[in-house]
Amino acid sequence: MSVAFSGKSGEVEGDGWNLMATDKCYDYGWRSKRSACLIGAAVVCLGLLLLTVILVANNTSAINQWDTKYENLISELTKGRDNLRDERDQLMIQSSNLTKEMEILQSQYSAVVASRDKLQEELNKLKVNGTGLACRKGWIQFNNKCYFVSAHGVTKNWQNSRKDCQERGADLVIITTKAELDFVKRSYGVTWIGLSRSGDGTWKWVDGTNLVGAGFWQDGEPNNVDGDEDCVEVSRSAAAWNDVPCSRQFSWVCEE
C-alpha cells in the first residue's frame, strides 16, 4: 500500500482514498485542523504498524511451521537410517550363517560324491552274471562267494596262511555246506581251512563263531594224537576234516 501527501491541498492520499481532506481540517479552525490532521496521521501510522505486525506474525508462524516440518523430516530420516542399519546388520548375520551352512553342505556333498564314485567303481567291476557278483582277478566264484586258492607249490603253516588271506582283505575259508567242502578239497591233496581249537578246547572259526553241529570230520577225528593238533585241514582223499599241528605246511584257500 502507498501513501502520499499532497502539498497544495494539504491532503494525505493513499491508493485512491483521502486520509484527511483539507476542507475538513479548516472546518474547525487552525488548532482543530492541526489536531484533526495529527489524529489522522496517527491512525495511519497505527494502521501501518498493525499491518507490519500482522505480516511479521504471519512470517514468524510460517517460519516456525517450516522449522517444525524440517525437524520432523530430520527425525524421520534419522529413524529410517537407523532401521536400515539394523536391517543391514541382520542381513550380515544371516549371510554369515548361510556361508557356514553352505560350507557344511559342500562338505556333505563332497562325501556323497566320493561315496557315489566308489560305488560306481565297484559297479563297473561287476561281471554280468545271474547273481551280479564280481570276484577280483585271480579269485574264483562259487555259489555267490569268492575264493582265492594259493599257488601250486607254495605252502605255509596255519598262521601264515591266514595272514596271507588277511592281507588280501579276506580270511581262511569257513566251510558250512557239503558242496563247499567238495569245492575246497578238489584244489590240493591237503588244504588249510579257517577252523582251530581255542584255549578252552572249543573249535572256533576265524570269524570268532563256534563250530555248530558235528561238522565234516573224518572218522575218529578230531583225536589230538600229538597233543597239539589245534588246526584243521581238508584231505582230498578223505573229503573230510582232520586236526593236525598248526606248524604243518599246507596249501590254503581264502574266502571273501
Side-chain angles (χ1 to χ4, degrees):
M1 179 181 70
S2 62
V3 179
F5 292 90
S6 176
K8 294 181 179 181
S9 61
E11 296 178 346
V12 180
E13 300 178 353
D15 290 344
W17 55 275
N18 295 331
L19 297 178
M20 181 60 72
T22 303
D23 55 353
K24 291 183 180 181
C25 289
Y26 282 105
D27 289 343
Y28 302 99
W30 183 83
R31 293 180 179 274
S32 298
K33 179 182 72 173
R34 183 178 180 183
S35 299
C37 290
L38 290 174
I39 292 171
V43 170
V44 170
C45 291
L46 289 174
L48 291 175
L49 180 60
L50 178 61
L51 178 61
T52 301
V53 170
I54 292 173
L55 291 175
V56 171
N58 288 336
N59 289 337
T60 301
S61 176
I63 291 173
N64 291 336
Q65 291 177 359
W66 170 252
D67 289 343
T68 302
K69 291 181 180 179
Y70 184 69
E71 290 176 356
N72 292 337
L73 179 60
I74 291 176
S75 178
E76 291 177 0
L77 290 174
T78 301
K79 291 179 180 178
R81 179 202 62 190
D82 294 340
N83 291 335
L84 288 174
R85 285 180 177 176
D86 292 340
E87 292 180 5
R88 180 202 63 187
D89 294 341
Q90 291 296 326
L91 289 173
M92 291 178 66
I93 293 173
Q94 293 176 2
S95 175
S96 177
N97 292 336
L98 288 174
T99 300
K100 293 179 181 178
E101 292 179 3
M102 182 183 69
E103 291 175 352
I104 294 174
L105 290 174
Q106 183 64 44
S107 177
Q108 294 175 346
Y109 172 77
S110 299
V112 171
V113 169
S115 178
R116 180 205 63 189
D117 294 343
K118 184 177 180 180
L119 289 174
Q120 185 64 48
E121 183 180 354
E122 293 177 358
L123 180 63
N124 293 336
K125 292 179 180 179
L126 290 176
K127 296 179 180 178
V128 180
N129 52 50
T131 63
L133 177 69
C135 295
R136 291 177 286 170
K137 183 178 181 180
W139 291 66
I140 302 172
Q141 180 184 335
F142 177 77
N143 282 355
N144 300 329
K145 292 182 181 181
C146 295
Y147 300 86
F148 176 83
V149 178
S150 61
H152 284 276
V154 178
T155 60
K156 296 178 182 291
N157 61 31
W158 189 89
Q159 286 83 1
N160 288 334
S161 296
R162 185 184 184 192
K163 181 180 178 182
D164 178 83
C165 293
Q166 291 174 330
E167 290 174 350
R168 299 176 188 275
D171 215 327
L172 285 172
V173 61
I174 297 175
I175 298 176
T176 57
T177 65
K178 183 64 167 59
E180 191 172 22
L181 173 64
D182 292 338
F183 168 77
V184 172
K185 61 98 174 174
R186 72 188 183 190
S187 298
Y188 297 106
V190 179
T191 303
W192 285 123
I193 66 174
L195 185 63
S196 63
R197 194 195 312 268
S198 64
D200 60 3
T202 59
W203 292 99
K204 288 182 177 295
W205 293 105
V206 288
D207 64 357
T209 59
N210 293 332
L211 173 64
V212 178
F216 301 99
W217 296 103
Q218 298 179 25
D219 292 341
E221 300 294 341
N223 55 19
N224 196 21
V225 172
D226 297 328
D228 61 349
E229 296 182 345
D230 296 327
C231 294
V232 179
E233 49 88 0
V234 172
S235 170
R236 178 190 296 173
S237 58
W241 303 345
N242 178 38
D243 61 334
V244 295
C246 300
S247 59
R248 297 277 185 91
Q249 301 284 318
F250 298 134
S251 300
W252 66 95
V253 172
C254 306
E255 176 186 355
E256 278 191 314

